[in-house]
Amino acid sequence: MNLAAATNENLAHTSNVLIYSSMAVYTLAFFAHIAEWVFGSRSKVGRTAAALSGPAPADSAVKVRVAQQGGNTAVLDRPKVVTRSAAGSRDVPDGPGAAGGTFKGDLWGRIAVSLTVVAFAVQAGGVVARAMSVQRAPWGNMYEFSITFSTVAVGAYLTLLALRKNVRWIGLLLVTTVLLDLGIATTTLYTDSDQLVPALHSYWLWIHVSTAIICGAVFYLGAVGTLLYLFRDSYENKIANGGTPGRFASSVLDRLPAAKTLDTFAYRINAAVFPLWTFTIIAGAIWAGDAWGRYWGWDPKEVWSFITWVAYACYLHARATAGWKGRKAAYLALIAFGCWLFNYYGVNIFVTGKHSYAGV
């Protein structure tokens, strides 16, 4: 074995060690996020917010008598209404967040974010080491795509936090998904580092696949927002109709942003990345023309990429159509993300086509 081959093998081993190490740190972050939700549910602030989050007219302040001493009355005003539900019939404030507004819950949340930052850095190091071991872009097979995808998803989440966006409620679901993704990647999808077939040695590998990974990562965040919107919207509807949510719903869903906030978040995320997905398909067609002599051949991957594009286009159109706003549009968004998932896992594993060159 020559020196270069030995160096590449050592880099591949280093990459594996870093990926497994990141999984260990993500596991600690997972438990820290659990602690944030647990201690937040015991919050007096959280219980007070729950008591005040029922339906009320916009711009009103419901005053609750909390103490009376010497004829002086202290009052607690309802939090300022900042959002309106998708159906236009409810006015509710955003919840206090996973930490429930408590110092202890917030402390655990900050620990969880800090651990996520460390895990992200370690995982990114593993992806870079993998790239160096093969001296190409680190997304030549499903294993490499998976570890890069989850890295970008966490990076997008941390970027939103750095921009002071209220998205820490994504943390627990994100870390859970990343652990599942890395678990599948390291146990089922793992492939030894190797070179690609000659037709794929192109700078378009960096352009086309990188944009596909970015789109998938951001679409994932939008899907999380959409899914939680559906739960929160049902929760708000139940309260508005005089129902009494269960203890779990009151503890968890009441701390999430309002349904309208979640709906807006998901829409903006999906709308922002949709043009990049369009570019991804165009870039893939150009690369196909260079590699295979045709721009479009109705390969299964090409077909499902187009189906995904159509699904997200329908969702964005539905959001602009009065009769399809709210839950109907949210279902379309989840269907669209399901198409993206099948385009990656289903097509690569179960369908034979030109994109099967990478193997699993």
Side-chain angles (χ1 to χ4, degrees):
M1 180 182 297
N2 57 37
L3 180 60
T7 301
N8 292 341
E9 184 177 341
N10 289 335
L11 286 171
H13 176 71
T14 300
S15 173
N16 295 339
V17 171
L18 289 174
I19 294 300
Y20 279 106
S21 298
S22 71
M23 293 176 66
V25 183
Y26 277 127
T27 301
L28 295 177
F30 170 80
F31 286 114
H33 275 298
I34 290 290
E36 178 186 18
W37 283 94
V38 168
F39 288 112
S41 69
R42 300 172 180 174
S43 156
K44 181 178 179 181
V45 175
R47 293 195 301 270
T48 303
L52 296 175
S53 62
D59 303 325
S60 70
V62 178
K63 297 184 177 181
V64 181
R65 187 182 304 270
V66 295
Q68 185 172 5
Q69 297 177 347
N72 294 325
T73 301
V75 296
L76 181 64
D77 291 337
R78 176 181 297 277
K80 181 181 179 181
V81 172
V82 294
T83 59
R84 180 176 294 274
S85 68
S89 60
R90 301 186 307 271
D91 295 295
V92 295
D94 287 346
T102 63
F103 172 79
K104 196 168 187 179
D106 183 67
L107 176 61
W108 279 108
R110 291 178 183 274
I111 291 173
V113 171
S114 299
L115 288 170
T116 303
V117 171
V118 174
F120 167 76
V122 174
Q123 185 183 5
V127 173
V128 171
R130 178 78 175 196
M132 294 174 64
S133 71
V134 291
Q135 299 180 2
R136 59 166 171 78
W139 38 75
N141 51 58
M142 289 185 67
Y143 168 73
E144 295 174 356
F145 192 101
S146 293
I147 63 175
T148 306
F149 166 76
S150 54
T151 303
V152 175
V154 175
Y157 164 70
L158 295 177
T159 299
L160 291 175
L161 285 178
L163 295 174
R164 299 185 181 280
K165 302 299 182 180
N166 178 24
V167 295
R168 206 162 81 185
W169 44 270
I170 297 178
L172 179 58
L173 283 176
L174 174 65
V175 170
T176 303
T177 304
V178 169
L179 284 171
L180 290 173
D181 174 74
L182 292 179
I184 294 173
T186 54
T187 59
T188 303
L189 304 178
Y190 182 78
T191 304
D192 290 331
S193 57
D194 200 357
Q195 294 302 316
L196 299 175
V197 297
L200 301 179
H201 285 288
S202 170
Y203 59 88
W204 284 106
L205 175 66
W206 291 91
I207 299 173
H208 171 63
V209 184
S210 65
T211 55
I213 292 173
I214 293 172
C215 289
V218 178
F219 280 149
Y220 164 77
L221 296 181
V224 171
T226 300
L227 184 64
L228 293 180
Y229 156 73
L230 291 173
F231 283 110
R232 172 76 189 203
D233 185 63
S234 296
Y235 172 77
E236 292 179 7
N237 272 331
K238 189 169 187 177
I239 293 178
N241 293 327
T244 302
R247 179 177 298 179
F248 177 81
S250 298
S251 174
V252 175
L253 297 180
D254 191 72
R255 283 181 279 166
L256 291 174
K260 172 57 179 174
T261 301
L262 292 168
D263 184 47
T264 301
F265 168 80
Y267 169 68
R268 289 176 177 174
I269 285 287
N270 290 326
V273 80
F274 180 73
L276 187 61
W277 182 248
T278 304
F279 171 78
T280 300
I281 297 176
I282 295 173
I286 296 174
W287 188 14
D290 291 343
W292 300 320
R294 92 291 189 277
Y295 294 103
W296 193 268
W298 298 104
D299 181 77
K301 179 71 72 172
E302 297 169 349
V303 170
W304 276 95
S305 295
F306 180 68
I307 290 174
T308 302
W309 185 90
V310 171
Y312 273 108
C314 289
Y315 161 71
L316 295 176
H317 177 71
R319 287 291 274 97
T321 305
W324 278 82
K325 288 182 178 180
R327 299 184 68 88
K328 291 181 180 180
Y331 293 137
L332 283 177
L334 292 181
I335 291 172
F337 184 68
C339 291
W340 188 92
L341 283 179
F342 182 80
N343 185 36
Y344 173 55
Y345 286 103
V347 172
N348 282 20
I349 296 175
F350 303 111
V351 182
T352 301
K354 283 186 174 294
H355 287 78
S356 301
Y357 54 80
V360 174

